[in-house]
Amino acid sequence: LEKGGIIKQGCPVLVGKNVPVEILRNCATEKKASHFYECDDLLGKEAVEEMDYDAENSRVATAALTLLQKIWETDYIARMNHSNRMSTQQITEGVKVRPKCRFEEFDIATPITNNASFKVVLDVAHNPQAIKYLISKLRSNYPSSHLRIVVGMSADKDLKSCSDILLENVSHPSKIHLVESPNPRAAS
């Protein structure tokens, strides 16, 4: 429900599929949002049901830009300013851009490994659901790899559940390396 705090009167609300839709719909009604949309309302029914946060984030971004495009088309002042127009191609290209540490992949070679490279994946998964999806994506993309996980989290996260999920998905607890950031919110 904390996500509903951003809902404003007179503004449209767009939600992805991994949220409590009915709770947010009720919140939008209470706060007198202008409209309530799910991604399927703007983009049609999604063909793939397997959850991938990256794909879901791209879908929400595409739906948001599509909604913004519709708003601009109906707003007289926005129509007069041609720079506000986005083509479908611009939207498609724009959502291909990935933020840092969202399943960001690197090949690393070091003298210790005789310059043989190994894969490093950075991801900001920070709650049990996100960690489950990260593990699932790692298993899907790298089915024969043995996971070695470096993890640092904020103290306000569900550390027990996240730790349990990680422990269930490595061959031995020694494959998990805990780090602490200099951030005041960091778990220690």
Side-chain angles (χ1 to χ4, degrees):
L1 190 55
E2 69 185 51
K3 301 276 186 202
I6 197 170
I7 297 173
K8 304 289 184 251
Q9 181 176 343
C11 295
V13 174
L14 169 66
V15 298
K17 68 179 181 182
N18 285 308
V19 299
V21 173
E22 290 310 312
I23 291 172
L24 290 174
R25 186 185 310 275
N26 291 338
C27 187
T29 300
E30 288 172 14
K31 293 186 176 192
K32 297 180 176 50
S34 63
H35 293 89
F36 185 89
Y37 299 97
E38 295 178 55
C39 290
D40 288 354
D41 299 332
L42 297 162
L43 304 176
K45 185 75 173 145
E46 185 176 17
V48 178
E49 289 299 321
E50 183 180 325
M51 179 53 197
D52 175 336
Y53 267 123
D54 191 46
E56 177 63 13
N57 287 341
S58 292
R59 185 163 170 78
V60 172
T62 300
L65 291 170
T66 301
L67 177 58
L68 189 55
Q69 190 176 44
K70 288 179 184 291
I71 290 168
W72 284 340
E73 288 171 358
T74 60
D75 183 277
Y76 176 76
I77 294 171
R79 276 197 321 257
M80 300 312 286
N81 181 357
H82 299 287
S83 65
N84 284 342
R85 294 189 179 156
M86 290 178 288
S87 70
T88 303
Q89 181 180 356
Q90 287 172 312
I91 292 172
T92 301
E93 290 301 313
V95 298
K96 285 182 183 176
V97 177
R98 306 276 40 97
K100 296 285 186 195
C101 294
R102 301 287 168 88
F103 210 83
E104 188 174 5
E105 300 171 278
F106 298 93
D107 288 308
I108 307 290
T110 69
I112 296 170
T113 61
N114 292 325
N115 291 323
S117 69
F118 58 93
K119 185 67 74 177
V120 173
V121 177
L122 301 178
D123 197 279
V124 294
H126 59 277
N127 59 49
Q129 185 181 24
I131 289 177
K132 285 179 187 176
Y133 289 127
L134 172 61
I135 296 291
S136 175
K137 188 168 183 174
L138 286 167
R139 295 274 185 234
S140 174
N141 288 19
Y142 306 104
S144 61
S145 295
H146 299 284
L147 299 179
R148 180 175 293 271
I149 298 172
V150 179
V151 62
M153 296 188 72
S154 297
D156 62 343
K157 302 303 175 189
D158 184 352
L159 302 175
K160 169 83 170 87
S161 295
C162 292
S163 298
D164 289 345
I165 294 164
L166 293 173
L167 285 166
E168 290 168 8
N169 285 283
V170 294
S171 59
H172 190 270
S174 66
K175 300 292 185 184
I176 299 175
H177 306 274
L178 303 175
V179 297
E180 180 181 357
S181 81
N183 188 308
R185 293 180 46 217
S188 56

